[in-house]
Amino acid sequence: MLENCCAFTGHRPHKFPWKENEADSRCVALKAVLLEQIAALVDVSFTQFLSGMAEGTDTWSALSALDLREKNPAIKLHCILPCKEQADKWSASSRDLYHSILDRADSIVYVSRTYYKNCMLDRNRFLVDHTAALLAVYNGERRGGTAATVRYAQKMGREIIVIDPLTRLISHSG
């Protein structure tokens, strides 16, 4: 699965200037760029997509993959979850969206059945370990899960596509 597989990583809503307001024009524009980038990956034979299903970037990317799958059934969405409780403390609307995506996913993998201190980190490493490319919505900060995932992908020699969440400029490495 590695050569035609891309994982998603990126910030949660609190890291964006628009926070939870997905109607903000900057969020709408970012989601459009995400969809374009995933479609471009499909155009170069990527068909397997992995989402860690955190709020924000992960769920937006998963929704984009599902949208593209409607026109191209070769596209598959695999949800890689850190633990069964991942969404338990989210708002009702976020939990509903999460479960609606899981219901439509082609597969669900639990890194662990129960929460433990490093389950999110282990989930992120699983994503990188099982893909040829990483699509990241990343603001360049040095701390946090997205930063650690991008660094791990660099260390593992993966192709990395970074979308700056504010400028929406795209850079490639690897």
Side-chain angles (χ1 to χ4, degrees):
M1 180 159 77
L2 200 70
E3 68 282 343
N4 66 343
C5 188
C6 177
F8 307 126
T9 192
H11 302 300
R12 294 188 178 123
H14 72 273
K15 293 271 180 103
F16 298 117
W18 55 84
K19 306 290 185 214
E20 306 281 339
N21 180 10
E22 292 186 34
D24 185 290
S25 62
R26 296 166 295 180
C27 184
V28 171
L30 177 59
K31 288 180 184 181
V33 170
L34 260 175
L35 180 64
E36 288 168 12
Q37 285 304 300
I38 296 167
L41 286 162
V42 171
D43 288 345
V44 294
S45 300
F46 282 85
T47 56
Q48 308 296 314
F49 294 94
L50 305 184
S51 175
M53 291 299 295
E55 290 181 281
T57 301
D58 288 5
T59 53
W60 302 336
S61 300
L63 288 168
S64 292
L66 290 171
D67 285 349
L68 292 168
R69 187 181 71 185
E70 288 180 19
K71 298 176 200 76
N72 181 348
I75 294 171
K76 304 296 181 206
L77 174 66
H78 308 283
C79 296
I80 312 302
L81 309 180
C83 59
K84 287 192 78 84
E85 305 94 336
Q86 180 174 12
D88 286 0
K89 294 179 178 160
W90 297 1
S91 69
S93 61
S94 291
R95 278 195 316 272
D96 289 348
L97 176 61
Y98 176 85
H99 290 293
S100 78
I101 294 169
L102 294 183
D103 288 345
R104 292 180 284 161
D106 293 285
S107 71
I108 300 169
V109 174
Y110 291 94
V111 173
S112 174
R113 288 284 171 186
T114 56
Y115 176 84
Y116 63 92
K117 185 176 180 239
N118 286 327
C119 67
M120 305 289 177
L121 175 67
D122 290 347
R123 182 262 329 265
N124 294 344
R125 289 191 168 192
F126 182 102
L127 291 169
V128 171
D129 288 343
H130 291 84
T131 59
L134 181 69
L135 178 59
V137 173
Y138 177 46
N139 64 13
E141 69 185 18
R142 305 223 12 100
R143 296 171 55 104
T146 301
T149 305
V150 169
R151 281 194 302 273
Y152 184 67
Q154 289 167 332
K155 177 182 164 188
M156 299 304 290
R158 300 299 187 252
E159 177 183 351
I160 303 167
I161 303 148
V162 174
I163 303 169
D164 180 290
L166 299 181
T167 66
R168 295 176 300 285
L169 292 174
I170 296 152
S171 60
H172 294 258
S173 66

